[in-house]
Amino acid sequence: MMEHRVVSDNGLASGPEGCVIDIRLPWYRSLPLSVVQIDEVQIDGEVIDKDKVTFELEGERMPLSELRPKTGTVWYVLDSAFLHIDGIDVAKGSEHEVAVTVSFRPPYIAGLNRIVKTTKTLSAN
């Protein structure tokens, strides 16, 4: 059975403005960003304000509010995307509980709204 997970196993890193979470598309087919939504990000039980989160795919960073218009940008199932969390610093080697909830509506399955949450304890690199 396919494991639907969002947060990658080594998915937490210290970044220049805060931290970065490596996420994967929890679906069996690639999807346009316009049908993907980042519903919630938590670090150590604290819900992160969405204004502090930017989404990066193939080197392009954007606020979460800009995913919906991206009808021509495809998130391929084998590619990682990255959530940049401004103002949340993690020390290298420190452990943190990371939870990310993603929802999406595949354009080829009418009425389906898939919601996937992954929670993992990760060591920051």
Side-chain angles (χ1 to χ4, degrees):
M1 184 170 164
M2 184 174 147
E3 179 185 357
H4 296 290
R5 63 183 176 145
V6 178
V7 179
S8 296
D9 289 338
N10 295 313
L12 180 64
S14 179
E17 297 103 22
C19 66
V20 181
I21 302 170
D22 182 332
I23 63 172
R24 302 298 297 261
L25 182 62
W27 194 238
Y28 66 98
R29 291 178 68 179
S30 302
L31 294 172
L33 286 184
S34 59
V35 303
V36 176
Q37 182 172 310
I38 306 300
D39 294 321
E40 187 175 79
V41 178
Q42 291 183 27
I43 297 179
D44 295 329
E46 176 187 344
V47 176
I48 306 301
D49 183 341
K50 287 185 180 183
D51 291 337
K52 293 183 176 184
V53 181
T54 55
F55 181 91
E56 178 186 351
L57 182 66
E58 296 180 1
E60 181 183 356
R61 278 178 71 172
M62 64 199 82
L64 298 180
S65 61
E66 290 184 14
L67 293 178
R68 187 172 267 323
K70 297 286 187 179
T71 57
T73 303
V74 176
W75 187 359
Y76 294 98
V77 294
L78 297 178
D79 293 345
S80 286
F82 301 93
L83 298 178
H84 295 263
I85 316 298
D86 292 338
I88 304 292
D89 294 318
V90 294
K92 291 184 181 189
S94 62
E95 286 196 351
H96 300 274
E97 183 180 83
V98 176
V100 177
T101 305
V102 173
S103 63
F104 51 92
R105 292 181 162 90
Y108 45 84
I109 304 176
L112 177 65
N113 182 26
R114 177 89 173 163
I115 301 169
V116 180
K117 179 178 182 177
T118 300
T119 303
K120 289 187 178 182
T121 299
L122 301 173
S123 181
N125 53 42

